[in-house]
Amino acid sequence: MAYSEKVIDHYSNPRNIGTLDKSKNNVGTGLVGAPECGDVMRLQIEVDEVSGTITDAKFKTFGCGSAIASSSLATEWLKGKSIDDALKIDNMDIVEELALPPVKIHCSVLAEDAIKAAINDYRAKNNLAPIEVHSL
Amino acid sequence: MLKLPIYLDNNATTPVDPRVLQAMLPYFTDIFGNAASRNHPFGWKAEEGVDYAREQVANLIGASEKEIIFTSGATESNNLAIKGVYEMYAEKGNHIITLTTEHKAVLDTCKHLEKLGAEVTYLEVQSDGLLNLADLEAAIKPNTILVSVMFANNEIGVIQPIKEIAAIAHKHGALFHTDATQAVGKVNTDVNEYGIDLLSLTAHKMYGPKGIGALYVRRKNPRVKVTAQIDGGGHERGMRSGTLNVPGIVGFGKACELARLEMGQDAARLSIMRDRLENSLLELEESYLNGNKDHRLPHCTNISFKYVEGEGLMMGVKDIAVSSGSACTSASLEPSYVLKSLGLDDDLAHSSLRFGLSRFTTDEEIDFAINQTKEAVMKLREMSPLWEMFKEGIDLKAIAWAEH
């Protein structure tokens, strides 16, 4: 399988690998996928509670190069965004940016799910109603 | 200087040995005749080349040259052996016994015969890849005509107890066929010592050219016959028609001669290199050897790395050409059926690598392969949430994962 240059770049130099303290109230954690399916993504955001801006984002992914690249790219895009803007990230934006082939679209869907799951985890911690996640 | 990428997929195919190529070259130009042309020297010379090669092939497996039927490769040999016996011995019975871990050339041939009325038993293997002889004994029936068990497995390299299997087949009046594609030229495969009635072999796994193989068909004790699957001019004693691939046959013969003379020293050298590669990779936590360690080919190893995803791993070892247990082409995620037969979970089957060394593999190449594989596994684990959870002592099987 031929990977795009951007996928190879994210795979070789992944951005924002790591772990945030999930016990903190302003940290949201999303864990999506399943080991049997060959992809598990964990995406975390740290939110400035006053401004509602995402100040930090980290990920860890078990999966193919496209899954790693999708989550790495997502963390890059999340940093500095408001929660509202973060919710606007669509999986097709990731597909386009990374030039993912059709068989790898599910990696971008998983990344979008991970973003929404992280936001919902943050919202739940702060007694806010969950936003609807369509694709899970 | 190391030339990248490094080829360590020699169970898939091997490069042609330059000495084999040299032997073949005249047969493309000067000695181009049809070996079946009886009326002029062009044909005679080609036939001489074929006759000599037939002896070279026979000598490697302890057969007589009259027992060698040239084919296009081991897939055709397996087809000829199994379909040919099924047709020839139809009056005697219709039951065939084989293994679930056989190559598709055997499995799909058996499936084809099932549609025509054959009864086929696919025996499971043990967790080390070896057949339990008691299972074979129990599977034999009065109508069993053929037992077909591979000599050495193409994915994990385990060598089956061939002599014992042949003895059980014979005790019950069945013939014994072995797909010895991976074993011939690597280890002793003497047909009389092991009691083999039919044996499939191919040139391109032993430094010969692609497109040429053979089926050994025993002529004495017992005399075995197979029904031809390709009809025509009656070549190869009527068992396989078609103009002989003279340069291929000559190359195959040369490859067999070289193997007979050198396989002992090759095996000794390669098993040391293989062990070094294997031991270094097994130093990694949560890495597992697949298949029996004591009964196997000297030049290959198959290792699973837990908490690493197969496709990501292949991307990480981009400078070494190896094979993955993950056959995840396109959207389907179907792990190796051989590894599944050993009882491996999907995740371990997916994250396995098969390394196959050759006569031409160097110590520098092994060093490189060790380093790149270790680096890839460690890097991927560093970014794997599963590895982190494992390290925290979380039972991954207890988590309710959302299937997608």
Side-chain angles (χ1 to χ4, degrees):
Chain A
M1 162 145 350
Y3 292 95
S4 71
E5 271 178 39
K6 281 184 179 160
V7 168
I8 292 170
D9 179 44
H10 277 281
Y11 174 88
S12 311
N13 311 292
R15 333 286 199 256
N16 309 308
I17 291 182
T19 308
L20 298 173
D21 181 356
K22 62 173 181 269
S23 66
K24 278 165 77 175
N25 224 30
N26 67 332
V27 169
T29 301
L31 181 67
V32 297
E36 311 81 81
C37 305
D39 305 286
V40 177
M41 278 183 200
R42 190 194 63 198
L43 198 145
Q44 295 182 295
I45 52 169
E46 187 167 320
V47 183
D48 181 296
E49 282 152 306
V50 181
S51 64
T53 306
I54 296 169
T55 54
D56 201 2
K58 298 273 187 211
F59 85 96
K60 279 202 177 185
T61 289
F62 163 87
C64 65
S66 303
I68 290 167
S70 296
S71 37
S72 170
L73 176 68
T75 58
E76 245 185 350
W77 280 355
L78 285 170
K79 280 202 206 179
K81 273 203 170 59
S82 68
I83 294 272
D84 286 344
D85 285 343
L87 284 170
K88 288 179 195 148
I89 295 175
D90 186 82
N91 80 290
M92 289 314 287
D93 300 337
I94 296 172
V95 169
E96 205 172 304
E97 174 68 18
L98 296 175
L100 296 181
V103 294
K104 293 296 178 188
I105 288 177
H106 70 275
C107 298
S108 69
V109 173
L110 207 59
E112 187 188 322
D113 290 348
I115 294 172
K116 299 209 157 115
I119 290 172
N120 271 340
D121 183 53
Y122 167 78
R123 288 175 70 91
K125 280 179 175 174
N126 292 277
N127 301 315
L128 296 164
I131 47 113
E132 209 172 302
V133 181
H134 59 85
S135 52
L136 266 176
Chain B
M1 256 319 261
L2 214 50
K3 196 169 151 244
L4 300 178
I6 289 164
Y7 189 72
L8 287 177
D9 201 12
N10 287 286
N11 296 87
T13 193
T14 53
V16 170
D17 189 299
R19 294 169 290 180
V20 168
L21 179 64
Q22 281 308 316
M24 291 171 72
L25 287 176
Y27 289 87
F28 286 101
T29 48
D30 295 347
I31 318 172
F32 62 87
N34 187 329
S37 296
R38 294 288 156 83
N39 304 316
H40 50 68
F42 294 88
W44 305 334
K45 292 280 260 183
E47 195 185 19
E48 266 172 42
V50 169
D51 286 347
Y52 187 61
R54 202 184 295 278
E55 272 178 46
Q56 290 170 312
V57 174
N59 283 343
L60 177 60
I61 59 170
S64 100
E65 69 277 5
K66 286 183 179 158
E67 298 173 308
I68 302 298
I69 308 298
F70 286 116
T71 65
S72 61
T75 291
E76 189 193 329
S77 299
N78 287 332
N79 270 266
L80 176 57
I82 298 169
K83 291 176 182 169
V85 164
Y86 177 71
E87 277 190 55
M88 183 61 73
Y89 296 88
E91 283 182 13
K92 210 173 152 272
N94 68 338
H95 182 228
I96 296 169
I97 300 174
T98 188
L99 303 184
T100 57
T101 52
E102 291 288 318
H103 191 273
K104 288 284 182 192
V106 167
L107 293 176
D108 287 357
T109 298
C110 288
K111 294 224 168 70
H112 178 85
L113 291 180
E114 278 182 292
K115 285 185 205 147
L116 302 180
E119 185 187 346
V120 183
T121 301
Y122 302 91
L123 293 174
E124 298 280 344
V125 294
Q126 304 168 98
S127 61
D128 63 358
L130 294 181
L131 171 64
N132 180 347
L133 295 170
D135 290 349
L136 173 62
E137 186 85 53
I140 294 208
K141 303 196 235 187
N143 62 336
T144 305
I145 50 171
L146 179 69
V147 173
S148 179
V149 172
M150 67 201 324
F151 206 108
N153 184 269
N154 49 308
E155 289 193 34
I156 53 178
V158 298
I159 295 176
Q160 299 292 348
I162 294 299
K163 203 183 282 184
E164 291 78 3
I165 293 170
I168 292 172
H170 293 154
K171 190 171 79 183
H172 297 277
L175 293 173
F176 175 61
H177 164 250
T178 187
D179 172 4
T181 304
Q182 295 286 343
V184 172
K186 308 295 165 54
V187 292
N188 173 24
T189 52
D190 187 294
V191 290
N192 292 314
E193 204 178 310
Y194 285 99
I196 296 163
D197 298 316
L198 299 122
L199 177 147
S200 302
L201 68 163
T202 195
H204 77 97
K205 308 277 193 197
M206 43 184 288
Y207 316 102
K210 292 165 187 61
I212 184 71
L215 178 67
Y216 157 80
V217 183
R218 178 172 288 279
R219 263 169 65 97
K220 274 194 300 202
N221 308 315
R223 182 184 178 90
V224 178
K225 290 203 276 184
V226 293
T227 304
Q229 301 298 309
I230 296 181
D231 298 309
H235 308 76
E236 299 299 274
R237 293 170 40 238
M239 287 194 244
R240 201 277 191 180
S241 289
T243 298
L244 293 180
N245 169 4
V246 178
I249 288 169
V250 168
F252 189 12
K254 184 68 184 176
C256 286
E257 182 185 293
L258 292 173
R260 186 171 56 79
L261 298 172
E262 298 177 8
M263 73 180 176
Q265 69 198 54
D266 277 350
R269 189 178 70 90
L270 292 180
S271 65
I272 291 171
M273 286 164 91
R274 186 272 313 273
D275 290 349
R276 189 162 70 82
L277 170 73
E278 180 175 285
N279 292 334
S280 301
L281 296 180
L282 289 175
E283 280 170 8
L284 288 165
E285 267 181 276
E286 295 295 310
S287 59
Y288 301 92
L289 176 68
N290 295 315
N292 187 290
K293 200 174 160 94
D294 301 318
H295 302 282
R296 59 172 171 159
L297 296 170
H299 65 294
C300 61
T301 184
N302 187 311
I303 300 174
S304 288
F305 304 94
K306 212 172 177 186
Y307 309 111
V308 173
E309 191 276 332
E311 221 182 307
L313 181 58
M314 286 305 279
M315 207 170 156
V317 294
K318 65 178 168 54
D319 296 314
I320 45 179
V322 291
S323 202
S324 153
S326 191
C328 55
T329 50
S330 68
S332 83
L333 264 166
E334 199 48 51
S336 145
Y337 66 91
V338 172
L339 296 179
K340 292 277 284 177
S341 300
L342 308 187
L344 262 69
D345 283 341
D346 277 15
D347 57 342
L348 273 182
H350 274 301
S351 64
S352 71
L353 295 180
R354 178 188 71 181
F355 298 84
L357 283 59
S358 85
R359 187 182 278 169
F360 306 107
T361 305
T362 65
D363 277 314
E364 291 72 30
E365 290 176 327
I366 293 297
D367 288 337
F368 185 93
I370 291 171
N371 289 335
Q372 187 162 79
T373 309
K374 277 189 158 178
E375 269 170 34
V377 170
M378 289 190 289
K379 180 188 154 163
L380 288 167
R381 281 180 176 171
E382 208 47 54
M383 58 171 113
S384 166
L386 303 180
W387 180 248
E388 188 181 303
M389 291 157 100
F390 162 71
K391 280 292 180 183
E392 286 171 355
I394 296 168
D395 179 7
L396 293 173
K397 290 205 164 120
I399 294 177
W401 297 100
E403 303 274 343
H404 62 283

